[in-house]
Amino acid sequence: MKALFNRTPRLDGVDAASKRQEIRDYFHVTFNRYEQLFETLASDEAYYRKPITLRHPLIFYFGHTATFFINKLTLAGLVTKRINPAFESMFAIGVDEMSWDDLDETNYDWPTVAEVRAYRNEVRRVIDDLVATLPLELPIHWDHPWWPILMGIEHERIHLETSSVLIRQHALHYVKPHPDWRPCPLSGEAPINEMVRIPAGKITLGKTDATYGWDNEYGHHEAEVTAFQAARYLVSNHEFLEFVEAGGYGDDSVWEDEGRQWKNYVRATHPTFWIPDGNNWRLRLMTEEVPMRWDWPAEVNYHEAKAFCNWKKVKTGLPVRLPTEDEWTRLHEFSGLAEVPHDHRAEANLHLDHYASSCPVTQFRHGELYDVVGNVWQWTETPIYPFDGFRVHPLYDDFTTPTFDDRHNLIKGGSWISCGDEALKSARYAFRRHFFQHAGFRTIVSDIAPPDAIPASRYETDALLSEYAEFHYGDEYFGVPNFSQALAKIAIAAMQGKPMRHALDIGCAAGRATFELARHFERVTGIDFSARFIGLGVQLAQNGILRYTLKDEGELVLYKERRLDQLGLDAMRDKVEFFQGDACNLKPHFTGYDFILAANLIDRLYSPRKFLAGIHERLNPGGVLMIASPYTWLEEHTPRDEWLGGFKQAGENMTTLDGLKAALNGHFRLMEKPREVPFVIRETRHKFQHSLSEVTLWERIA
C-alpha cells in the first residue's frame, strides 16, 4: 500500500528542529509529486501543445511553480540572487480565464523540457539550502520569514490539481497511463438519489487553526442557516444522463443568461468529459478513456450544474438549487466530519489517499450523506467575497482580490487530488463559472433563495486601492491639479516633433496616466506589480465605470463612482492595455516604445539600479524616459545599498538626481532642468498627504 501524501503541517509547537525537518519533507514530496504528474505526458511535444486555447501549454506550468518560489522569496528578501531572470519573468504569471471567448494568441519562445527540468533542480537546491539554514522560531504566522516558503509549497499543490485537469483535457495521444496515477477500478449501478433533511443552525467561518492559509480564508463570518433538504449523494453520471436525454442542453429556458451564452458559444450538447461512442458513452479520465462509469459523480461546470437544477425544478415543482457556502458548511457540520488525519487514510476520496480519479458516489459515507468532502469539488451558489476583517497578504496580492468580481463561484469539499490546504474545511477556492475543475455538484431543496452577489464585491473597499482610485480619477483638492494629467501634459510637450506610437506606463497603479497618454499615443501599455491596482484600470477599460468606497470619518464612508465618459477618456478604452509585471524583470517583448513613464516608482523598487540599467533597451533611439518621484527612500521597499541617493558619499551629499545621472549616463541625456510637480492623496475628509514629485526627462541617445 502506498505511503500517505504528507499533510499540511501545523505551524506551532516547541520543537523547531523537528518542524524544520517536517517542512523540508513537505517541500520535497510536493516537488517530487508535481514532477511525477508530468510523467503522464507521452512526449516532449505534449508540453508545447495547448490542452485548451485559454490556457498556456503545460511547459509553462512545469516551470511556473518553481519560479513562483524564487519570485516570492526575492520579494520577501530571502533570496538575493535570481537563478534565471528570463524564466522568472516568462513563467511568472498564469492565465485566469477572463472569459470563455477571450483567446490569447501570444507567442512565447518556450525553453526545452530539459532546460526547465534543470532549472527546477536548481530551485530545489536553493529552497533546500534555505530551509536548512534560515533561523526558525515557532509559531509560524503570516508575517513570519518562513511563511513564503509554505506559500510556495501550497501553491505547487494547487497546481498539482489544476495541471491534472489540463492533462485530462489534453488530446489522448499526448498522455499515457502511469503506475502512480491509477484510476479507481470500481463501478456499479448508480443509486437512486433521495433527500435528507438538514436542520437549521448557526455557522461561523474564518480560519483560526495553526496551519497555512490563503488570505481569503481569514476574517470572520457567521450566519443563521435555515433548514433545508440535501441530496444524499452527489449527482451521478446516470442521474445527469436524464437531463441530457431530455434535451436539457437544447432547452435555453433552463439556462441562466451567462450559461446560455457559454453553451451556445462552445456548442455544448453533453458534459465535456463524456465521449460519444455510438449509442453508448465513454468517460475521459486523466490519461485514458473508459466505458462510462454511471455511478461516478457527473463532472461539469457551474453553468451545467445550474441548468440541471433549473430543469429539476421545472420537472418536480420543488425549489431545487445548488447550496451556498453557508449551507455546505452546515452539511459538513451535520455530518460530523473532522480534518484529514495525519497518520491514516482519509475516509473520503481526498488527498490522493485512494485513487487518481473519481469513484462511485456510494463509496464514502459521511453520516446520512455521502461525499460531503472528496471525490469531486462541489459547486455552490456563492460568488467568493471577503470576510469581515479580510486582509491581503503583501507577498501575493493577486491571489484572491481579482476574483471579488461576482464572476467566480466558490467550490467546496475538495476532489480526489485536493491536498494540503485545499483539503481543509477552511479552504476557499473560486473559479469562473465556465471553468472545468474536478468538480461536480449536490442539489438541495430550499424555499430560501440564495443571496444576491455580495455588495462588498461590487465596490472596491480596500482602503489603499480606494485612495488610489480617488488619487487617479477623483476630485482635485486644495487647487492641486490631477497628478496623472499634469505628467501627461509634460510628456506630450516633451514629445513634440517625435513619433508618438507606443508608450509604456510602468508602475501605472490605477492607470489614469495610461488613459491620459492614450489621448496622443496610438497605443499605451500600463504595467504594475500589483494585480489589485491593475484591476482598477481593467475595470475602466472594460466597463467604462469604477465604483469604490472612500473613507470619510471613522466608520463612515462615501460611495464614489467615476466614468471614463465624464473624464473625456471613453474613446481611449481601445487604445490601452494592462499587464501585471515586475519592473525589475520585465518580459522581453515589452520593448519598442517611443515614451516610457515611471511615475512615483523608482523609490519603491527592490532594485532601481537594475531597472535603470536595462530601461534603454525598451526605448527606441530618440525616445523619452520620464521619471517622477518624491525620492522617499525606505528600507522596507528598497535595500539601503540600492538607494540612488539621499545619503552621504565620500563625505558629500549624494542626491537621487546625482544617482540618476550616474545610472543613465551613456544611454541618455537630461533634456531639461528637473521640475517639481505637486500631488495630493486623500486619506479621509480631514487628512491628506501633500507631496512634491521631482520630474526629470531623459532622451535616449544612439
Side-chain angles (χ1 to χ4, degrees):
M1 184 174 288
K2 65 180 182 180
L4 295 179
F5 193 28
N6 299 39
R7 313 324 195 189
T8 190
R10 289 189 62 86
L11 302 180
D12 54 4
V14 295
D15 188 346
S18 64
K19 189 61 63 180
R20 183 189 300 272
Q21 185 60 44
E22 182 183 6
I23 294 174
R24 181 180 184 275
D25 293 343
Y26 192 56
F27 163 67
H28 281 291
V29 298
T30 302
F31 217 72
N32 291 343
R33 190 66 162 161
Y34 191 71
E35 292 179 349
Q36 186 190 67
L37 175 68
F38 286 81
E39 294 174 9
T40 64
L41 298 183
S43 63
D44 280 5
E45 184 183 2
Y47 283 85
Y48 301 96
R49 299 292 184 181
K50 288 186 177 185
I52 57 174
T53 56
L54 296 179
R55 288 284 179 175
H56 288 309
L58 284 157
I59 189 67
F60 170 87
Y61 300 99
F62 191 46
H64 171 64
T65 57
T67 61
F68 182 93
F69 274 106
I70 301 304
N71 286 331
K72 296 306 179 189
L73 292 170
T74 298
L75 188 61
L78 297 175
V79 168
T80 58
K81 184 179 180 181
R82 290 191 173 276
I83 296 174
N84 186 323
F87 282 16
E88 286 142 19
S89 176
M90 177 186 298
F91 293 125
I93 300 168
V95 178
D96 175 33
E97 293 192 47
M98 297 305 291
S99 71
W100 34 261
D101 56 353
D102 179 19
L103 302 182
D104 179 8
E105 298 297 339
T106 304
N107 293 316
Y108 290 83
D109 185 16
W110 300 112
T112 66
V113 176
E115 288 170 333
V116 179
R117 188 173 288 116
Y119 174 81
R120 287 185 61 88
N121 289 338
E122 185 62 15
V123 171
R124 183 194 291 267
R125 184 193 64 77
V126 169
I127 304 304
D128 196 50
D129 288 348
L130 183 64
V131 171
T133 59
L134 186 67
L136 174 58
E137 293 184 5
L138 297 175
I140 299 172
H141 47 79
W142 93 342
D143 294 320
H144 194 286
W146 280 66
W147 195 261
I149 298 174
L150 273 300
M151 179 182 285
I153 301 171
E154 295 291 349
H155 171 265
E156 188 152 49
R157 291 197 168 210
I158 292 174
H159 278 281
L160 181 69
E161 177 160 329
T162 56
S163 295
S164 76
V165 178
L166 290 175
I167 291 171
R168 187 179 185 183
Q169 293 174 299
H170 224 339
L172 199 59
H173 65 276
Y174 285 133
V175 299
K176 61 185 179 182
H178 190 286
D180 290 311
W181 295 95
R182 290 175 176 163
C184 175
L186 306 175
S187 183
E189 187 175 345
I192 297 175
N193 223 334
E194 54 191 0
M195 306 308 288
V196 176
R197 184 180 184 277
I198 311 299
K202 181 178 180 178
I203 60 99
T204 301
L205 297 176
K207 187 177 181 70
T208 57
D209 68 352
T211 58
Y212 179 86
W214 299 102
D215 55 9
N216 67 60
E217 298 167 11
Y218 293 94
H220 182 77
H221 168 75
E222 59 183 49
E224 295 286 348
V225 179
T226 304
F228 61 96
Q229 297 179 72
R232 190 179 302 278
Y233 306 101
L234 299 174
V235 172
S236 67
N237 285 318
H238 187 270
E239 188 175 359
F240 200 84
L241 176 66
E242 186 180 358
F243 171 71
V244 175
E245 292 183 335
Y249 279 86
D251 183 359
D252 282 356
S253 69
V254 299
W255 294 78
E256 306 292 309
D257 288 344
E258 181 186 340
R260 183 168 56 254
Q261 292 175 38
W262 167 80
K263 171 181 68 75
N264 293 339
Y265 180 81
V266 302
R267 300 178 182 177
T269 58
H270 55 76
T272 291
F273 298 117
W274 289 20
I275 311 298
D277 184 19
N279 293 326
N280 299 310
W281 296 93
R282 295 176 67 79
L283 182 64
R284 172 62 191 266
L285 306 183
M286 190 170 75
T287 63
E288 58 188 292
E289 290 179 6
V290 297
M292 179 56 70
R293 305 314 200 215
W294 293 115
D295 59 338
W296 289 18
E299 297 184 56
V300 295
N301 65 22
Y302 170 87
H303 297 312
E304 294 166 297
K306 185 65 175 173
F308 177 93
C309 290
N310 291 341
W311 169 79
K312 199 80 167 177
K313 184 191 304 182
V314 173
K315 181 183 177 184
T316 64
L318 298 173
V320 180
R321 61 172 172 83
L322 301 171
T324 63
E325 180 184 28
D326 291 352
E327 288 163 340
W328 179 87
T329 304
R330 278 295 297 140
L331 295 179
H332 193 285
E333 295 175 353
F334 173 75
S335 300
L337 288 170
E339 299 289 17
V340 176
H342 276 241
D343 55 354
H344 61 271
R345 296 189 190 285
E347 295 181 2
N349 190 15
L350 189 65
H351 217 289
L352 285 171
D353 278 2
H354 299 280
Y355 315 111
S357 74
S358 301
C359 69
V361 298
T362 55
Q363 186 168 355
F364 290 99
R365 182 167 185 161
H366 301 140
E368 295 186 46
L369 306 172
Y370 288 76
D371 292 325
V372 173
V373 298
N375 219 357
V376 291
W377 288 97
Q378 299 168 48
W379 284 106
T380 74
E381 297 279 9
T382 308
I384 190 169
Y385 67 97
F387 291 153
D388 289 343
F390 168 79
R391 290 191 298 140
V392 174
H393 197 285
L395 293 181
Y396 201 175
D397 73 342
D398 56 328
F399 179 78
T400 302
T401 48
T403 67
F404 292 153
D405 59 2
D406 298 338
R407 297 177 182 177
H408 291 73
N409 276 44
L410 282 155
I411 55 177
K412 302 296 290 187
S415 76
W416 53 269
I417 195 174
S418 302
C419 53
D421 170 82
E422 286 186 303
L424 301 179
K425 177 187 176 185
S426 57
R428 300 184 83 220
Y429 293 88
F431 290 97
R432 289 187 177 270
R433 292 183 276 268
H434 65 276
F435 192 91
F436 288 101
Q437 196 65 3
H438 301 300
F441 65 107
R442 182 190 308 276
T443 61
I444 73 163
V445 171
S446 174
D447 292 324
I448 306 299
D452 292 331
I454 307 298
S457 63
R458 292 175 179 257
Y459 277 87
E460 178 54 64
T461 58
D462 181 281
L464 181 62
L465 293 194
S466 294
E467 288 175 11
Y468 267 77
E470 181 71 2
F471 175 39
H472 280 230
Y473 301 100
D475 299 328
E476 293 184 4
Y477 298 98
F478 308 109
V480 176
N482 180 277
F483 183 61
S484 298
Q485 280 186 307
L487 294 183
K489 289 179 181 178
I490 296 172
I492 300 310
M495 293 297 295
Q496 293 305 307
K498 295 178 177 290
M500 287 192 282
R501 294 162 299 206
H502 200 173
L504 173 65
D505 183 6
I506 182 72
C508 66
R512 177 65 180 273
T514 310
F515 284 104
E516 292 290 343
L517 291 170
R519 294 180 189 271
H520 303 274
F521 286 85
E522 297 173 13
R523 191 75 180 162
V524 185
T525 300
I527 298 178
D528 200 273
F529 189 81
S530 170
R532 294 187 294 156
F533 282 141
I534 291 295
L536 301 180
V538 169
Q539 282 184 55
L540 280 162
Q542 290 181 343
N543 307 317
I545 189 169
L546 179 65
R547 298 185 178 99
Y548 54 96
T549 56
L550 199 59
K551 191 170 183 179
D552 188 44
E553 177 183 329
E555 297 178 349
L556 303 178
V557 297
L558 302 173
Y559 290 89
K560 307 281 277 190
E561 178 180 296
R562 298 299 180 198
R563 305 177 64 94
L564 285 181
D565 54 3
Q566 295 171 344
L567 298 171
L569 294 169
D570 197 56
M572 309 305 122
R573 290 166 61 178
D574 294 332
K575 298 174 67 177
V576 301
E577 58 186 354
F578 293 97
F579 297 95
Q580 184 186 15
D582 179 354
C584 300
N585 194 30
L586 285 177
K587 291 183 178 180
H589 64 267
F590 291 120
T591 189
Y593 298 103
D594 298 309
F595 175 80
I596 296 177
L597 170 63
N600 293 358
L601 171 75
I602 198 76
D603 58 352
R604 289 297 180 267
L605 298 177
Y606 62 84
S607 182
R609 298 181 189 279
K610 182 176 182 181
F611 168 73
L612 295 173
I615 196 64
H616 66 282
E617 298 172 356
R618 314 280 177 177
L619 196 62
N620 295 327
V624 175
L625 168 66
M626 175 189 282
I627 297 176
S629 173
Y631 305 149
T632 312
W633 297 104
L634 297 170
E635 288 192 89
E636 64 186 88
H637 300 298
T638 311
R640 174 64 176 75
D641 59 2
E642 278 280 349
W643 292 10
L644 297 177
F647 52 82
K648 292 279 189 179
Q649 182 171 293
E652 301 296 332
N653 291 344
M654 180 71 171
T655 68
T656 303
L657 181 59
D658 294 329
L660 288 171
K661 290 177 178 178
L664 297 174
N665 184 42
H667 297 293
F668 290 91
R669 71 172 185 88
L670 185 61
M671 297 174 65
E672 59 181 49
K673 291 182 179 180
R675 65 178 86 183
E676 292 186 336
V677 177
F679 63 91
V680 172
I681 296 179
R682 179 195 187 280
E683 294 185 24
T684 70
R685 179 154 53 107
H686 296 114
K687 184 181 180 184
F688 298 80
Q689 299 177 31
H690 182 277
S691 306
L692 294 175
S693 188
E694 184 170 276
V695 176
T696 52
L697 293 160
W698 308 82
E699 183 181 43
R700 185 189 167 188
I701 56 180

